[in-house]
Amino acid sequence: MTQKKYHHGDLRAAALETGTELLKSRDADDLGLRELAREVGVSATALYRHFPDKDALLTALAYQAAEALGEFQKQAGLRAGGGNAGFAAMGIAYVDFAVENPALFRLMFRKAANIDVLSGDIESVGSAIRGLRETVAGLTPATLGDDKRKASALRAWSLVHGLACLILDGQIEYDRELIRSVVVSRSVLSS
Amino acid sequence: MTQKKYHHGDLRAAALETGTELLKSRDADDLGLRELAREVGVSATALYRHFPDKDALLTALAYQAAEALGEFQKQAGLRAGGGNAGFAAMGIAYVDFAVENPALFRLMFRKAANIDVLSGDIESVGSAIRGLRETVAGLTPATLGDDKRKASALRAWSLVHGLACLILDGQIEYDRELIRSVVVSRSVLSS
DNA sequence: CGATTAATGTTGACATTGTTATCATTATGC
DNA sequence: GCATAATGATAACAATGTCAACATTAATCG
């Protein structure tokens, strides 16, 4: 019988897990340190043995969320069979993930500056948001100049990211078909 | 000589003004109620005579920010002389405003759900974010079907919004030319 | 006018939060 | 088996949003 022991076994893992669980079931990304500790069944200060402060805890959660988004997107792309259809599917998956996990999505980008993906150690960060970036970069026609490719990739990312943010902030309603047409459109988007 | 009087004259206005001032000079939108009161030179609870709670205060600030953004955008559009060039200018202005006022921009959209612009009383809200929406809607070719116009407008808004958010969250660096090429591009943007 | 009442500010208190210092318990390595 | 590191708990602190009770000024009306 697994009684309550003084040592938890693997707090940190438990904290991250129930932290993610809590964030999944709410809209705002305002997870409290004491709240989490309470939920895990441990004293608030115990968490300080595994994270230097609240910010580090949230950053760790954000990191996990980034991995989850990457995986979710990748699966969607594969399911659609790559190519243009695959890319559209990934764009839609990006928005879908945000809609289904608003708090995680928000937290992820609020702490994204801490997880420096762009600035340097891409390798050390692992596969985090890297897949996301690679995808965005890889989908642009290789025949274009480098700066145009860059702009094109950035355009695609900005589009789905803006869409996701506007939906989460209640500025536009979630409409799967509308989103699809926005993401997929190619000839309509003059200026 | 205007001595310190017991009654401030027009707190609320003063609170909103120095609140905006404070937010202008910082990156995160975490303005504290007590902090603001301290800055205005008034007791914390005095603010409760003018705002039901902190959330209402922040919402009022967000509302003001929305008006400022609208005006800023409008001016940019006029300066560029309307039309396609004007629209591009407005898109760039949207991003520029965000970059120059990160906290205000963030706050504005964090509280945007409270200021329901879309859901109902557009008229009562005044010119707030309305100009923004009208612009987005107005720039699409009138020859298109209604749903395609809608998608096109949404696409434009999402693009600049995503761009702004990604820059504020440190995911992409601010590069005026890159932004320009992203906003202005029209033929390159194949899915 | 002068007095009553509403408007606006202040003080003190409370619960909650992140954080630190100190102490308690368990696991680990020689 | 014991010293020591790892991990946990308690108590306390400062800061925050908020409320109740009280103070002061402005407005209203006879």
Side-chain angles (χ1 to χ4, degrees):
Chain A
M1 48 228 311
T2 53
Q3 292 284 33
K4 258 194 250 179
K5 292 180 296 183
Y6 193 90
H7 283 56
H8 182 279
D10 196 356
L11 194 74
R12 181 180 171 101
L16 290 180
E17 183 168 3
T18 76
T20 300
E21 215 56 44
L22 283 179
L23 286 174
K24 271 187 183 171
S25 62
R26 84 181 52 177
D27 192 68
D29 59 339
D30 62 345
L31 182 65
L33 189 136
R34 284 180 120 108
E35 178 195 8
L36 175 56
R38 215 177 297 134
E39 209 71 20
V40 179
V42 85
S43 95
T45 55
L47 293 172
Y48 282 83
R49 301 292 156 169
H50 302 271
F51 306 93
D53 56 4
K54 184 188 178 185
D55 191 72
L57 208 183
L58 293 183
T59 299
L61 285 170
Y63 181 83
Q64 279 199 159
E67 288 186 321
L69 167 57
E71 192 56 29
F72 186 71
Q73 239 190 167
K74 187 177 165 187
Q75 294 301 331
L78 289 180
R79 215 173 6 250
N84 265 1
F87 168 62
M90 292 182 76
I92 293 177
Y94 190 95
V95 177
D96 282 349
F97 182 89
V99 170
E100 285 167 29
N101 310 88
L104 283 179
F105 185 84
R106 283 212 185 87
L107 178 65
M108 169 176 159
F109 282 96
R110 190 154 64 86
K111 296 299 173 194
N114 297 6
I115 317 169
D116 44 7
V117 188
L118 188 64
S119 54
D121 56 352
I122 290 188
E123 221 54 42
S124 73
V125 166
S127 69
I129 318 182
R130 192 178 37 162
L132 194 158
R133 289 172 170 280
E134 283 175 355
T135 304
V136 168
L139 61 92
T140 65
T143 59
L144 291 173
D146 206 48
D147 50 344
K148 285 195 177 178
R149 285 192 66 195
K150 206 170 167 186
S152 184
L154 184 51
R155 196 181 157 92
W157 190 10
S158 295
L159 184 64
V160 289
H161 191 74
L163 216 38
C165 290
L166 288 175
I167 292 174
L168 292 197
D169 285 343
Q171 287 304 297
I172 58 182
E173 54 187 330
Y174 178 73
D175 177 340
R176 207 157 204 310
E177 274 319 303
L178 181 58
I179 289 173
R180 174 155 200 89
S181 74
V182 167
V183 170
V184 124
S185 68
R186 56 182 76 193
S187 53
V188 192
L189 35 80
S190 61
S191 74
Chain B
M1 42 222 328
T2 52
Q3 292 283 33
K4 259 193 247 178
K5 292 180 296 185
Y6 193 92
H7 282 56
H8 181 280
D10 196 356
L11 193 71
R12 183 178 172 102
L16 291 181
E17 184 168 2
T18 77
T20 300
E21 215 56 42
L22 283 178
L23 286 175
K24 270 186 182 171
S25 62
R26 84 181 53 178
D27 192 69
D29 59 339
D30 61 345
L31 182 64
L33 190 135
R34 284 178 120 109
E35 178 195 8
L36 177 55
R38 215 177 297 133
E39 210 70 21
V40 179
V42 85
S43 94
T45 55
L47 292 172
Y48 282 83
R49 301 292 154 168
H50 302 271
F51 306 93
D53 56 4
K54 182 188 177 184
D55 190 75
L57 208 184
L58 292 183
T59 299
L61 285 170
Y63 180 82
Q64 279 198 160
E67 288 186 320
L69 167 57
E71 192 56 28
F72 185 71
Q73 240 190 165
K74 187 177 165 187
Q75 293 302 330
L78 290 180
R79 213 172 9 248
N84 265 0
F87 169 63
M90 293 182 75
I92 293 177
Y94 189 94
V95 178
D96 282 348
F97 182 90
V99 170
E100 285 167 29
N101 311 86
L104 283 178
F105 186 83
R106 283 212 185 88
L107 178 65
M108 170 176 160
F109 282 96
R110 189 155 63 86
K111 296 299 173 195
N114 296 6
I115 316 169
D116 44 8
V117 189
L118 188 64
S119 55
D121 56 351
I122 289 188
E123 223 53 43
S124 73
V125 165
S127 69
I129 318 182
R130 192 177 38 163
L132 195 158
R133 289 172 171 281
E134 282 176 355
T135 303
V136 168
L139 61 93
T140 65
T143 58
L144 291 173
D146 206 47
D147 49 345
K148 285 195 177 178
R149 286 192 66 194
K150 205 170 168 186
S152 185
L154 184 51
R155 195 180 158 93
W157 189 10
S158 296
L159 185 63
V160 290
H161 191 76
L163 217 36
C165 290
L166 287 176
I167 292 174
L168 291 198
D169 285 344
Q171 287 304 297
I172 58 183
E173 53 186 332
Y174 178 74
D175 177 341
R176 205 157 204 310
E177 274 319 302
L178 181 58
I179 289 171
R180 175 154 199 89
S181 75
V182 166
V183 170
V184 123
S185 68
R186 56 182 76 195
S187 54
V188 192
L189 36 79
S190 59
S191 61

